Amino acid sequence: MKILGMDMLFKDLTQDINPHQAYRIKKLKSQLEKSESYEEWKMLALKIDEESGAQEWKYDNCSPYFDAEIIAHRLSLLKRYRFQKRTHDLMYLLREGLTYDIANIAHPMLFTATYVGTKKIIEDYVEEVSESLAFVASAACQCLSLTEKIDFFQHCKKAYGQPALMFSGGATLGLFHTGVCKALLEQDLMPKVLSGSSAGAIMTAMLGTSKPSEISGLLHGENFFSEAFHFRKISEILKNNGGLADVKYLKNFLIENLGNITFAEAFKESGLHINVAVAPYDSSQQARIMNAYTSPDLLVWSAVLASCAVPILFPPVKLTSKRHDGQLTPYMADARWVDGSVRSDFPQEKMARLYNLNYTIASQVNPHIVPFMQTDAERYRQDMLSWPERIIRRQSKVISKGIVDFTRGRVGKIPPVRRLLDHSYGVFNQGYYGDLNIVGNYSLRHYSYMLQNPRPYLFQLLQREGERATWPKISSIETHARVGKTIQHCLELLSYQDDPAQKRAEFIAV
């Protein structure tokens, strides 16, 4: 997997290197692209940072992207209060800064100058916040009762929020998402909130209906190798209004792998908050996310089938729910539904209200989006040379939306035409970036994979691409996640200490 834009990132840092250093860096980058594990990738990446001089950048606090003075002052106070055991002052200071991007330390440009890590002062600050939280939870902090500590960390958890991982559509290219999950799980960085549309909905549902012990087998390809796509003959297409592919094959694939489990039951099974984006076939209505809060009785496979109903490829479908007595019944019987990615590929705003999100990770493989996506370095450049491209991109989107909107106002009286134009407007009108973005690197051959049925060789190929695309992001995800994970671990430890019944049961079991 090629590291997008990395050569540009090191242009300024490698101006003074000699030919021998340049040769070593080129050789290391070649090895980096062939890495077989994150540990190997990280070792090589650190060597490149050292050879290129990028490591020196970490020790320079001057940056237009974050306020180093605020961080330095808070870091000094946190250390002093912790060493002096001034617990109440420490708690006050921690509460004051409970956000993952305080003083803008999460700015994407702070994670583009080196392959691994960011400014040393930022890393030290995140480390000190975690150490300070751990001190409050520890036995060394004796001025607080167990109840007071639990109340403090419950407040911290709510104030700090949690991340979400969003999977885009992309048909069979969605196997890329398995590599993203594998890389994150291996580093214990997998969020508890997931969303997906179309192919991403399949990934979300596969994870969300599995027990934690089954995830490893799932990401090794179990249950993926089935006939999901079967294309209809021209004569069959002309006979009725169905799509190019036979929806029965996809439906059987989903029922076989997901079973008749509802969103509420899926949460009890996996402990994951899964969200599936669907859009009403009636385009005057807004897209929705189905989950254990908004549609607890809806069958997961039914929502995923609707989210995969890409216009033209599959016909719109009806949803199915399960009653309290186990009887399957129609969900909103008069409504039909289609692929959620046409209007809400990444429903981050809706999820933020439900799950108190602080940042999102986007795994993007949509074939009509990936070629136009920019790296963080390209998106956040501030030099004048970037202005023409920024203006062209922004105005192109405005003009495209205007043309589609104008057209549907003139020729939109015919329902099929209006629906097609509404879907087109939805594609132009939505955002395709998260706070952190893991993006596939496409060549023309990837488009030939799109509608192939999942096969072992294709699974392994796309999964490895997903892993390699994730490895450069691990460093920034670790930094973003560190404080939130510390809060969660402290709360779990304190809650365990507060539950003597559980401790007795575990002692008896031993």
Side-chain angles (χ1 to χ4, degrees):
M1 187 73 181
K2 202 171 182 180
I3 311 298
L4 297 176
M6 234 4 134
D7 289 335
M8 181 188 73
L9 302 179
F10 286 91
K11 183 172 65 176
D12 295 332
L13 296 169
T14 58
Q15 285 178 346
D16 298 327
I17 63 175
N18 60 49
H20 185 56
Q21 284 177 297
Y23 171 76
R24 289 203 303 267
I25 291 171
K26 183 178 180 181
K27 187 176 180 180
L28 286 167
K29 286 183 178 180
S30 177
Q31 294 173 341
L32 192 75
E33 293 179 2
K34 299 173 184 175
S35 301
E36 292 298 319
S37 68
Y38 176 65
E39 289 69 27
E40 181 185 355
W41 183 94
K42 185 176 180 180
M43 179 188 69
L44 292 166
L46 286 169
K47 287 182 179 179
I48 296 174
D49 285 344
E50 192 66 43
E51 287 282 355
S52 66
Q55 285 283 14
E56 297 174 10
W57 171 88
K58 291 184 176 182
Y59 294 89
D60 180 5
N61 291 344
C62 296
S63 171
Y65 301 112
F66 82 112
D67 194 324
E69 287 187 14
I70 289 178
I71 296 303
H73 179 64
R74 291 183 60 82
L75 176 59
S76 175
L77 287 177
L78 285 169
K79 284 183 176 180
R80 186 194 312 164
Y81 293 163
R82 180 164 65 89
F83 284 125
Q84 294 176 353
K85 295 187 177 182
R86 293 167 57 180
T87 303
H88 291 287
D89 289 333
L90 186 63
M91 292 167 63
Y92 179 87
L93 195 62
L94 288 168
R95 286 196 192 100
E96 199 178 53
L98 276 178
T99 171
Y100 85 103
D101 61 349
I102 182 172
N104 219 26
I105 62 173
H107 195 287
M109 288 298 283
L110 295 169
F111 297 89
T112 57
T114 57
Y115 279 94
V116 179
T118 182
K119 295 287 189 183
K120 183 68 165 56
I121 192 172
I122 294 176
E123 294 175 347
D124 289 345
Y125 176 75
V126 171
E127 173 72 19
E128 181 55 40
V129 170
S130 296
E131 290 286 342
S132 297
L133 287 165
F135 167 76
V136 175
S138 72
C141 177
Q142 298 178 348
C143 64
L144 297 174
S145 67
L146 184 58
T147 301
E148 288 174 324
K149 290 182 180 182
I150 291 174
D151 288 344
F152 171 72
F153 280 99
Q154 286 176 337
H155 165 84
C156 289
K157 182 179 179 181
K158 187 171 184 179
Y160 195 78
Q162 64 179 324
L165 175 57
M166 307 180 297
F167 302 113
S168 76
T172 302
L173 294 174
L175 293 174
F176 175 96
H177 298 318
T178 67
V180 175
C181 292
K182 186 170 181 287
L184 293 177
L185 279 166
E186 286 175 351
Q187 303 304 316
D188 191 26
L189 293 172
M190 190 73 176
K192 297 292 186 183
V193 179
L194 309 174
S195 80
S197 58
S198 194
I202 297 178
M203 186 73 250
T204 299
M206 289 278 209
L207 293 168
T209 56
S210 300
K211 295 177 181 176
S213 60
E214 298 170 344
I215 298 297
S216 177
L218 176 68
L219 295 180
H220 279 87
E222 293 177 14
N223 305 326
F224 270 101
F225 312 129
S226 303
E227 296 290 330
F229 300 113
H230 180 80
F231 293 94
R232 304 163 71 215
K233 297 178 181 178
I234 297 296
S235 58
E236 294 175 337
I237 295 172
L238 294 175
K239 284 180 183 178
N240 55 49
N241 295 323
L244 298 177
D246 193 333
V247 74
K248 288 185 294 185
Y249 281 79
L250 180 58
K251 182 178 179 180
N252 291 337
F253 169 84
L254 295 174
I255 294 175
E256 178 185 342
N257 287 290
L258 304 178
N260 285 332
I261 186 171
T262 66
F263 278 96
E265 292 167 343
F267 175 70
K268 291 179 182 178
E269 185 81 0
S270 67
L272 298 174
H273 296 282
I274 59 171
N275 300 264
V276 174
V278 298
Y281 188 54
D282 177 3
S283 54
S284 64
Q285 299 183 50
Q286 294 295 315
R288 292 182 57 182
I289 51 171
M290 303 305 195
N291 54 48
Y293 292 124
T294 62
S295 50
D297 302 319
L298 181 65
L299 294 179
V300 175
W301 71 255
S302 174
V304 175
L305 183 65
S307 192
C308 291
V310 181
I312 301 177
L313 183 61
F314 289 111
V317 300
K318 292 191 174 185
L319 297 175
T320 305
S321 62
K322 187 197 296 186
R323 291 193 326 196
H324 60 89
D325 58 2
Q327 184 70 32
L328 302 186
T329 60
Y331 179 91
M332 295 184 65
D334 296 332
R336 291 186 297 166
W337 307 80
V338 295
D339 178 10
S341 66
V342 297
R343 271 177 269 163
S344 187
D345 202 25
F346 292 152
Q348 40 200 324
E349 291 184 10
K350 294 178 181 178
M351 290 197 302
R353 292 194 290 270
L354 288 173
Y355 303 109
N356 188 30
L357 301 184
N358 52 11
Y359 66 91
T360 56
I361 305 167
S363 177
Q364 178 59 263
V365 292
N366 246 323
H368 63 287
I369 301 300
V370 167
F372 303 101
M373 292 192 73
Q374 296 176 295
T375 64
D376 288 335
E378 292 167 341
R379 288 176 68 203
Y380 293 99
R381 284 174 61 193
Q382 296 180 347
D383 57 285
M384 290 185 64
L385 291 176
S386 68
W387 291 5
E389 183 181 359
R390 293 163 76 97
I391 292 169
I392 290 171
R393 279 179 168 270
R394 187 171 299 175
Q395 292 307 311
S396 295
K397 183 175 182 178
V398 172
I399 291 169
S400 298
K401 286 167 59 178
I403 291 173
V404 173
D405 197 33
F406 176 84
T407 305
R408 66 180 180 174
R410 299 296 182 277
V411 298
K413 294 183 179 179
I414 304 171
V417 174
R418 173 75 186 201
R419 201 168 286 117
L420 180 62
L421 291 171
D422 284 340
H423 289 329
S424 300
Y425 186 84
V427 169
F428 287 120
N429 193 44
Q430 60 179 295
Y432 292 98
Y433 291 94
D435 295 299
L436 296 104
N437 300 282
I438 302 168
V439 185
N441 183 27
Y442 283 180
S443 62
L444 287 175
R445 78 175 187 278
H446 284 79
Y447 291 87
S448 68
Y449 301 154
M450 277 183 57
L451 298 178
Q452 293 184 33
N453 281 301
R455 291 292 179 264
Y457 81 94
L458 194 55
F459 176 88
Q460 292 169 7
L461 173 70
L462 293 173
Q463 183 178 81
R464 180 43 56 96
E465 290 188 2
E467 287 184 88
R468 287 180 172 156
T470 306
W471 292 339
K473 301 292 183 178
I474 292 292
S475 180
S476 57
I477 295 171
E478 280 180 331
T479 302
H480 290 6
R482 177 72 188 276
V483 173
K485 286 170 66 67
T486 300
I487 292 170
Q488 182 63 34
H489 290 162
C490 289
L491 191 54
E492 289 172 358
L493 175 65
L494 294 167
S495 298
Y496 174 78
Q497 295 172 2
D498 194 42
D499 189 356
Q502 180 182 347
K503 286 190 286 185
R504 283 198 303 271
E506 291 183 0
F507 177 77
I508 292 169
V510 172

